[in-house]
Amino acid sequence: MFARKIGEITGQGVAVENKAGGNGFIAVQSLLSAPADGHTVFIGSNSTLSTNAALFKKLPYDPLKDFAPISLLSRGACVVIVPANSRYQTLKDLIDDAHKRPGALNYGSGSISYRLYSEWLNEMVGMKTTEIPFKGAGAAINAIVSGEVDFAVVDASGAIELIVGGRVRGLAFTAPDRSPLIPNVPNASEAGIPNFLAYNWVAAAVSAKTPAAIVEKLIALFQQVGAALDVREYYSRQSTSLLMTPPADLTRYQKEEIDRWKRLAQTVNIEQQ
């Protein structure tokens, strides 16, 4: 959506390159190895911009120093899902079974962030489950569809159609309120985990070496796109909040998130890689 609108405003073609894998390292390196002229913009998630810092002893990049922030773009809640034919009708069913059989259940994780969310859920309700890592969130969702894993915490926007279509079952929406797009899925409090408010977020940034004047032009351009009515309507249909913050707010939010997930990783004894 942002690529299309930027193209309309500037009259220039905008190519979107999805650089999956490597915990986001591949995508980051693509940005940092490109000319710092503002023509390569990084659209990164909380994994690359915060949670990686909690799980890796040494990153091949600095999530704060190597980027010039443009804006926090959007934030959306997650949903706990199970296969459509799962015996778990509610989150309580899953938790009760996990308590009876510690370590027997497994969860799919498509990134470091999803692993942290799942381990946070484990810690919160006192259950022990086993991680099955996948290359990306889409692969983890597909594993639920096929019944390869018992449950997964995934971005709601990627699971809504599957829930509505009956291909997976939603057990909890990780926000204070239910999503109007999946009204039959209980919110976190209704599911018995009121403090489990897990969100994925996406931000835009460029290389820190980019000239300040170019960064300012990009900031203005992204703010213009974010103000467009059709862009806001698009995000509302995804059960995602369009945020559009000043660069300083993004940096502050990154620092808060990095500290938060470092504390959680220590609490649940996740060893840094």
Side-chain angles (χ1 to χ4, degrees):
M1 173 57 79
F2 269 82
R4 180 173 69 80
K5 294 297 289 187
I6 288 173
E8 291 175 2
I9 294 169
T10 63
Q12 299 179 18
V14 181
V16 179
E17 296 184 23
N18 293 308
K19 301 282 188 177
N23 296 297
F25 297 173
I26 297 172
V28 173
Q29 289 302 327
S30 294
L31 171 79
L32 300 182
S33 62
D37 56 7
H39 285 87
T40 301
V41 179
F42 181 66
I43 307 297
S45 71
N46 41 303
S47 291
T48 48
L49 296 173
S50 67
T51 52
N52 277 352
L55 286 217
F56 290 92
K57 293 178 181 177
K58 187 175 181 180
L59 290 174
Y61 66 95
D62 189 307
L64 293 169
K65 295 180 181 179
D66 286 342
F67 297 100
I70 294 175
S71 178
L72 183 62
L73 302 182
S74 64
R75 189 180 77 167
C78 294
V79 62
V80 182
I81 59 174
V82 296
N85 62 355
S86 172
R87 57 178 163 165
Y88 308 127
Q89 298 295 322
T90 67
L91 185 63
K92 184 178 184 301
D93 292 341
L94 186 152
I95 294 170
D96 288 346
D97 192 32
H99 285 161
K100 294 174 184 175
R101 301 185 297 139
L105 275 64
N106 55 47
Y107 66 86
S109 70
S111 72
I112 294 297
S113 294
Y114 295 113
R115 180 187 179 190
L116 281 170
Y117 299 155
S118 301
E119 291 297 340
W120 182 21
L121 177 60
N122 281 342
E123 191 267 339
M124 187 173 290
V125 301
M127 65 182 185
K128 181 177 175 60
T129 62
T130 303
E131 180 202 18
I132 306 296
F134 291 91
K135 186 179 179 180
I141 292 175
N142 288 338
I144 290 291
V145 173
S146 63
E148 293 178 53
V149 293
D150 295 307
F151 75 97
V153 181
V154 301
D155 186 79
S157 64
I160 285 173
E161 288 189 9
L162 295 172
I163 294 172
V164 173
R167 299 183 63 193
V168 302
R169 180 180 301 137
L171 301 185
F173 184 63
T174 65
D177 301 306
R178 293 194 183 204
S179 167
L181 301 179
I182 42 175
N184 293 330
V185 178
N187 62 39
S189 182
E190 292 168 333
I193 46 172
N195 295 321
F196 188 58
L197 306 178
Y199 298 96
N200 282 326
W201 50 270
V202 175
V206 289
S207 167
K209 298 177 182 178
T210 307
I214 294 176
V215 176
E216 289 301 319
K217 287 183 179 180
L218 286 169
I219 291 169
L221 181 58
F222 270 78
Q223 290 295 331
Q224 183 179 352
V225 172
L229 179 60
D230 57 341
V231 174
R232 294 190 170 277
E233 290 177 342
Y234 170 82
Y235 275 90
S236 68
R237 293 194 298 270
Q238 309 301 316
S239 193
T240 302
S241 299
L242 188 63
L243 299 177
M244 306 309 300
T245 63
D249 287 359
L250 170 56
T251 300
R252 181 166 55 252
Y253 189 57
Q254 274 185 268
K255 291 177 179 178
E256 291 172 353
E257 286 282 279
I258 289 171
D259 290 343
R260 174 191 181 192
W261 295 115
K262 280 184 176 181
R263 288 195 301 269
L264 177 68
Q266 293 173 353
T267 299
V268 300
N269 297 316
I270 294 178
E271 185 177 352
Q272 285 190 313
Q273 300 176 28

